[in-house]
Amino acid sequence: MANEVQISESTSGANEVNVKAFRSSLKLNVTLGKYSKALIESFKFIQSVITSKLQNKEELLEECQHSIITNASKVTELLDNVEKQDLLTTLSRLGRSFTSHKMHLHAEYAVACAIKLREHSPVHQCNSNERLDLVNLIFELSISQRAQNKWKKSVMNLKRCYNVCVQKNDIIFQAKVLYELFDNLYHQERYAEAVESCLLLFVLKTDLEDNLKESLPYFTAILPHGGGEKEVHVKLSDAYSHLLLYDDALKHNEVFQKLLQSENDHKFSLADLRQLHLVNGNLHHLMGHYETALMKFDKWSKLLKEFQTSDADIEKERLTDLMTSYEMSGKLLNEMSQHNVAMVAWEALQQVSSSLQNEGKELDSKLLQISTCIKTNQPVEKLMENLLHSIRHLPVDISMLYESRCMSLEAEELARDAKYSRAIYRQQEAISIGKKCQRMQAQEEEDCDVKLALYIQHSTSEEMLKIGLKILVKTLLRIEGKMIVYRDEGVVHYHKDVATLTKCSKALQVILHRMKKHELSACLTETFCRRSTLIARKLKIQYPLQLTQEAGVENDSCVVDLCGTDVLGVDDVTTLYYTMHGCVTGYLAHLIAPHGEVVSSYLLVENVVEVGKLMERLKLLVASCHRDGISQVGSEKLCNIYNTENRHVPLMSPTSRNSPMMKMEELLDHHRVELSAEGLTRNDAMKELFSILIQPFYTHLYKLPENSPLTIIADSFLSLVPFDELIGATDRKTFGDRFNISISPNSLVLHNNKRKKMKEVGDDSDQLDSVRKRQLEKIYTKSEMKALQAAGLDKSFSCLVTTATNGAPIISSNQYLASHKQTENNLHACVIGSPTFHRHLQLEDGTQWKLPKSRVAFRQCKNIAEYMDVAPITGNCATKERFLNEMKRSIIIHISTFGCFRKGVLCFAANNYPVGDRILPVEKLLITSDDLISASPFNVRLVVLSSCYEWKELGDDVGQLKLVNSFLNSGVQSVVFPRWPIPDDVSDAFYFYLYTQLQNDVPISKAMFESKKEMKQKFSNPHFWNSFVVVGSSDVIVDLSSIRTSQLQGLLSESEAGCLSPPLAVDSGKNSSEIFHSLQTCISRLSASIDVTKELDLVDFLIGLLVEATQRLAHDDNCQSSIVMIPRLLLDTDGGEDLIKLVGFDVQSVRDGSHLVNSSSSYMLVFPHWNQDHLLLPLHQALTGFHELCSNQNCILALSTMLPLHQEQLCNLIDLIAIVKHTPTIQLGILDPSIKPLWSHNSIRSYLLSIGFLSIRSLLIFRRSLSNRQLLIGSLQLLISLCLHRDHKILECLDISTLGEEPKSATLEPKSRLQSLQPLLMPRQEILVRSSWMKDASYKREWEERKKLASEIAQVTTNYNRILDHAKWWHRDVKVPRVSAKSEPGSETSNKVKVMSGATPSCDRTPLNGEDSLQESLHQTLKMRHEAHLVLQKRCEEITRRQVSAIRGCYLPFTEDH
């Protein structure tokens, strides 16, 4: 520890301390008047003496003290009576005095000496009345080091100081240390660590406010001379911004805004306005919220214009800010393609910069003005001459920089006019001059290189193409590597990098095409198309190795050999790629054969002269086909004719990205007059689209057989082209009549369909023969089978052998077994929708939304379910969990619920969450892309989405629909969905035609095409019959008849299971892992159904129940204790009853408990008679930890989602939480090998977030508040109780030896084989002993082993017989509820009557009342006795089962199959 604060290397031996040299040097420095040097020499000598072994150490220290005081008095004023203090106090006071006089070097030496003396001299040996704390000295040392810009040493000492403060739990001093640490790290640009320190500071503030029940001016107390809490939020926002975590930065900027408005009453300084609008607008700009950012910049400009001041310096600052506002607004307007408005901003910027005589800003404004003129096709010659004239008097290097920028703009103008050779030359000159001036920034140089490569894609020179290829490959790999880091570290806003990556990839495709590398170009096209799928599946993005080889650059980690693999080829499917490259190049298309060969490659600009006009025409045609018929209906009448429910989840957010591209409906409105003037019909549009898109490949395509599968992968607006309706120029047939067409985002999703096509059950005789043959091989040995074959009887026997649906072999005749019983096809269909919501939902912006009733969806689900012969899943049953389970086992799923295409979510009912009166967060009901990926629905062949209707989503690009892509990325083979809302009767008709076509064993694409033809005959408006589209594989076959047969087979299998599948003769039982997995499942169910705000007493009841059970077992007495009735709350809570049964409790019905005293239910508990599986203590410890977690409902819900976990995951999670608990100052990273698997697991990450963990880029921190520490300890106790390989000692201390230790699988001890005893494990787990080894005397050498085995069996038998007897004794006198001795209120009792004279006593006696009630009570008692007997019988059967299983375990190591 001393080395951390040591200023210089000190000696540690008696021989190394030269006292004479010190004295002579000290005398010389004093004589020369060098008191500062003499003082530092004294400090250094003190450090040497402290660590030495000199005998006269005390005398030397006193001499040093006298020297320090004498010399220090010459340097600075000392406190009174300083000579009377001991050395430790003297040094510390000297340090403070030096600090006050800003003599930080002397202060550092003084405090460092004090620390070393303090460490080598315990406090009880100090003579000073003031006991100096070590942490104060270290803090003073760090302050002195910071003043000298020794940032690293200062941070190191502050962290040491914080560690000591945490151990002492000194909150006030912790806060001071944390702020200093935050400020130091912020100045060092170590932003992640700075954010961690600041968040810990906020935690301390929250804890103080919660404990004192009042709001404290906490940051003002820490920073009396600073800006207080506002300054902290400003720095924190800036730190988040540098970390690219713009959402968090915006949140703290808004907190700063609230604090500022509450203090100043809207009277802000220029710095405040800068934070409120410039920083806020920049954050919105970086997040892609262009409209909000522009509004912020405009408001800032308006406020700056209204700001008035008489101070010249403030006025200059105001004009400087005004220039910045105009510059930011203009750049943003250019990105939004509002160039005319941007020109106004540039003119205003030029005027303000001229008035300020800011020549740099004036030149920049001219450059920006020229760039905007180029984009708007305006002449720039005069502006360029004026700019070049303005830079002549500047220094050479600055003049060369602006000259380089002018040349780059000239190249941009030449490229606009399609003069690419000259543009390339000018851009190369600009790059050369910019590099020579050595003032061009690295980012600007990279942008110039990319711009050069984009010009080169239009060249035909082989040499230039290679230059462009090298630039683009380097840029592509660099950006891809950066984006991989972004995704791993949680950065979500990097759309500019995505845009650059897209431009580079498309330019590379063109360059490779021009270089005649068609296969590599197509491979790169597919690689870029499948990026989103690979990212969604969390797989590695791969680029072709040949790409780096052609470019001559170094290989990257994401480069592999893809050419020649199945990255292009898909079995039996021809693929046609379309990639849009703008109005200058047009589109690039590749036709790929099923085996992966590039049949043809077509670039539009190489075959068409006026590409720009043709592209505008193409957009017009696509728009007319996409929205044809809307004008006939009229948008104002949509709400009148549509009964379609609005099934759109309004995931409202404060801001939204404004796309600079023109929307499809705007384009259609722009050209509607032109269309009507031309008289263009829909058939004419289909013919023209065919000539533009399909005609270049006509020769190759029409060589393919009819009805061949053809998949089209298109981006941008080409994904909206109805390819199946395109009409050929020669045969006048539609493209869909000739091919089975489907649209797909990439060929990777086509590989989801690699399974065999379904065949009708019972039609494949070869399959039946193979099944029967396998069953024969199970029944007969190989020699017996050969004998049957030799006799020619094997076929006769195969006709009699079949299999039950559960896999059990059956010998029967075909005349008694139907064909659908002879094979097992696990095919299933599902119709789910119209969920029921009992509470409002809370949306992203905090508003509440009440989901409307979905009566139409319910009726639709009912009708569709009749087509498939299934029961619809609606109402409360349509939960999120049920949907995910159906995704794992269904072949076809029809969904009719709420959702959102753009966000990629579906909404279902809650998974048994405790709603109460609370408002449910919307994320608890949503199916996201991560949920779909986790479900891995690779068996789902078709998903039909009848969801997500919203009027605002009319005309969306198919490629932008995240929900559809999420299904395909998760493994679904094809998706059918409507692109816009249509009337309910129209959608019902379409579904009828679609599911009718699917009865005919045809591909989905063909079924879609035929359904549209039927719809076209019924509804002439294309808006109705052309609404639905299929995306995914084109050759997927969904045979509904086979599915219905399979479902019938499943129902028969359930009915046959009882008679054809008898229980196993010997149950192997559950091992410890399976038992604890069941325990985790019960706790998960309990967590999902409990409401901690109302049902915390239930957890207390369970804990008390386990305590009482333990006490009864400890006293071995169950007779004298009182009866425990089960509360109704436990029975109503999911998982509660199963949890207590798992540890040995039983529930006994009391039939009618209304006559019991203080009874709240009609069920009583029967306590366990033994601690089976030893679960009582683990469950008690788990519930104790669970009780601690109940303070946070979100934590409980996250726990229900996370459990159950594998033991390996539990061990890693426990290790992480234990490390954080015992080492509060440790820094962990989410990319650490032991943490990355946990953090990448969605449910585990959600749970860690709920208990206080947080990631800041790659740094993982824990917000150590009082509530979070409670959750951390509760989590640790709960998880340890559920883990087999971690002990509760971890709660007290951290055992480093067990960290990272993975659980080992239990293995049986190796035993020698017994030749005389060879038990054989039969198929139903029966054990068959082959020989009578007890009478065989030839195996004497095995006698000891056999004796040991017999002893084990005898011991098992004895133990379980004892347990059985104990169970009967335990139940000998079990108390049952009895009728109260008191009579019921209002009942009459008969007393003896007085005997009258003259009459016999018996004549006038009346029979006793209450005889009927007594009989009823006796009857109830007998019933309850019978229930108790059934419980005892059940327990005895369980003991017998365990005994047989234990005996089997004794034999098992000797079996042949072991």
Side-chain angles (χ1 to χ4, degrees), residues 979-1086:
R979 288 177 287 187
W980 52 77
I982 55 176
D984 297 324
D985 57 345
V986 177
S987 62
D988 291 343
F990 172 80
Y991 293 135
F992 173 77
Y993 293 135
L994 175 65
Y995 291 116
T996 302
Q997 290 294 328
L998 292 178
Q999 307 280 343
N1000 303 326
D1001 197 19
V1002 297
I1004 292 176
S1005 57
K1006 181 61 69 176
M1008 283 288 296
F1009 182 73
E1010 295 297 332
S1011 301
K1012 286 185 178 182
K1013 288 175 65 175
E1014 297 288 344
M1015 289 284 291
K1016 191 174 182 180
Q1017 296 178 2
K1018 188 173 183 180
F1019 304 98
S1020 59
N1021 195 328
H1023 177 71
F1024 294 153
W1025 60 263
N1026 195 34
S1027 172
F1028 287 86
V1029 66
V1030 58
V1031 177
S1033 301
S1034 59
D1035 61 338
V1036 176
I1037 297 178
V1038 178
D1039 190 358
L1040 286 183
S1041 60
S1042 299
I1043 294 176
R1044 285 201 300 270
T1045 303
S1046 177
Q1047 291 175 152
L1048 176 60
Q1049 179 183 357
L1051 294 176
L1052 294 175
S1053 299
E1054 293 178 2
S1055 61
E1056 292 175 350
C1059 58
L1060 296 182
S1061 180
L1064 298 176
V1066 179
D1067 187 3
S1068 59
K1070 294 182 178 180
N1071 55 30
S1072 300
S1073 298
E1074 294 173 342
I1075 293 171
F1076 274 80
H1077 189 275
S1078 302
L1079 183 60
Q1080 291 187 58
T1081 304
C1082 291
I1083 293 179
S1084 174
R1085 293 167 55 195
L1086 181 67

Side-chain angles (χ1 to χ4, degrees), residues 207 392 394 715 790 932 1044 1161 1338 1440:
D207 286 344
R392 290 179 181 176
L394 296 177
D715 66 349
L932 295 175
R1044 285 201 300 270
S1161 69
S1338 61
T1440 304

